[in-house]
Amino acid sequence: MKKINLFGQFLLFTATLAWGTSFLILKNTIEEVPAFYVIGLRFLFAGVVLLLVFIKRLKFLDKKTFFAGVVIGLSVAAAYIAQTLGLLQTTPGRNAFVTASYCVMCPFLMWGIFKRKPNANNIISAVLCLVGIGMISLSGDSGESGNALLGDALTLIGALFFAFQIVFINKYQEQGLDNILLLIFNLLTVGVVFAICSLIFELPKNGISGYYLNSDQIIRITYLAVICTLYAQAAQLIGQKFTSPNQSAIILSLEAVFGVLFSVFFGTEKLSLILGIGFAIVFVAILFSELNIDFKKLFKKQKKSLDETSIDKG
């Protein structure tokens, strides 16, 4: 059982590592190729490959599963639109850390939609996260070009839609819907949305020549599609089956750390003291939100321990 749990943790860790690299690679790619076109290719490719692998599962597809996959996909599409526009204005590291705030938003969305009240951990985490994001935004470093505040604001909107994605997945999984079919139509929906956006907004501006890719760009987009989307999504899906929700959330939150590390390593990010403190606060907020410390139980234990100590001394 322990080996299976370690295997699940390993899969989640590799998925997180892949997503951490995606911020820098996507940033470099969309500076050369239309952004919606890149993401459309990435998700359509991953969705079609997954569909071909699990083609026999289509016989179990019903309207409910199809609708659920589309709803999740629309949430992801909205998240990626905001996140990608934010990435054009800020650095990969900042984009990664602000995106990770979706972990803190989820309990409050669950409260609003399912009336599941957040606990003290969630409230403290939300406050810490706001402080951390504020420090990140006020650090003023958006890279060589761009508007840091605008980039962070757009990224925060993207994080909100990622939180909606998690809430919707939770909702539909509780209904016993097929995870693979949900993932397939999630990916295909995102791909179709971005393909349509690219045709409407990018094709008239860039012309068909803007869609031609050189070998380096093809390699990057293939990496984003195969490793950061197809593999990472499958690894997350399998990994979460063998790990607890808390373990999964904590490991997946490392995506932001890897995003910054790769950005710093390749010279895209310059860490200032305020920016570093902001990153640290956001990371602590994410961990704190997922550890689920029962303060009432903790205080009762401490009180009991103090009372026993007083009795012993008496």
Side-chain angles (χ1 to χ4, degrees), residues 94 97-98 101 104 122-139 152 156 273-286:
R94 293 166 69 108
F97 255 94
V98 177
S101 64
V104 179
N122 302 137
I123 295 170
I124 294 170
S125 297
V127 173
L128 285 173
C129 195
L130 285 174
V131 171
I133 290 173
M135 294 184 73
I136 292 170
S137 299
L138 292 174
S139 68
D152 292 340
L156 196 59
L273 179 61
I274 294 177
L275 189 63
I277 294 172
F279 285 158
I281 292 174
V282 171
F283 185 57
V284 168
I286 293 166

Side-chain angles (χ1 to χ4, degrees), residues 195-263:
I196 293 171
C197 288
S198 182
L199 290 173
I200 294 173
F201 299 108
E202 294 176 337
L203 183 59
K205 179 182 176 182
N206 298 285
I208 194 67
S209 61
Y211 286 73
Y212 295 148
L213 302 172
N214 59 40
S215 58
D216 184 50
Q217 291 162 349
I218 291 172
I219 291 171
R220 277 187 250 157
I221 293 173
T222 302
Y223 176 84
L224 289 170
V226 175
I227 304 300
C228 301
T229 306
L230 185 59
Y231 171 76
Q233 293 283 354
Q236 181 187 10
L237 192 71
I238 298 169
Q240 284 191 220
K241 287 185 177 181
F242 304 122
T243 55
S244 69
N246 285 347
Q247 285 179 324
S248 300
I250 290 170
I251 294 170
L252 292 174
S253 69
L254 293 172
E255 172 189 354
V257 178
F258 289 131
V260 173
L261 290 177
F262 281 108
S263 185

Side-chain angles (χ1 to χ4, degrees), residues 29-78:
T29 306
I30 63 177
E31 286 178 347
E32 303 170 359
V33 185
F36 293 163
Y37 176 55
V38 171
I39 298 174
L41 282 178
R42 170 183 176 179
F43 278 87
L44 280 175
F45 180 86
V48 170
V49 170
L50 202 63
L51 178 63
L52 293 175
V53 172
F54 295 98
I55 191 74
K56 291 183 179 179
R57 286 202 186 221
L58 286 180
K59 63 184 178 182
F60 302 113
L61 180 65
D62 54 23
K63 290 182 179 179
K64 192 174 184 180
T65 304
F66 174 78
F67 175 77
V70 170
V71 169
I72 295 170
L74 290 174
S75 300
V76 176

Side-chain angles (χ1 to χ4, degrees), residues 53-178:
V53 172
F54 295 98
I55 191 74
K56 291 183 179 179
R57 286 202 186 221
L58 286 180
K59 63 184 178 182
F60 302 113
L61 180 65
D62 54 23
K63 290 182 179 179
K64 192 174 184 180
T65 304
F66 174 78
F67 175 77
V70 170
V71 169
I72 295 170
L74 290 174
S75 300
V76 176
Y80 266 93
I81 288 172
Q83 184 195 49
T84 304
L85 293 175
L87 186 57
L88 287 168
Q89 299 294 327
T90 189
T91 62
R94 293 166 69 108
N95 191 258
F97 255 94
V98 177
T99 296
S101 64
Y102 71 82
C103 295
V104 179
M105 298 178 187
C106 284
F108 295 93
L109 290 180
M110 294 294 286
W111 184 21
I113 297 173
F114 300 112
K115 309 303 178 185
R116 299 175 186 174
K117 194 173 181 180
N119 57 31
N121 288 44
N122 302 137
I123 295 170
I124 294 170
S125 297
V127 173
L128 285 173
C129 195
L130 285 174
V131 171
I133 290 173
M135 294 184 73
I136 292 170
S137 299
L138 292 174
S139 68
D141 178 17
S142 62
E144 294 180 2
S145 63
N147 184 319
L149 289 176
L150 176 61
D152 292 340
L154 288 168
T155 305
L156 196 59
I157 293 171
L160 177 62
F161 280 105
F162 278 126
F164 271 113
Q165 174 206 5
I166 292 172
V167 170
F168 287 138
I169 288 174
N170 181 274
K171 173 185 176 182
Y172 294 126
Q173 282 183 333
E174 286 180 355
Q175 296 174 7
L177 301 185
D178 188 301

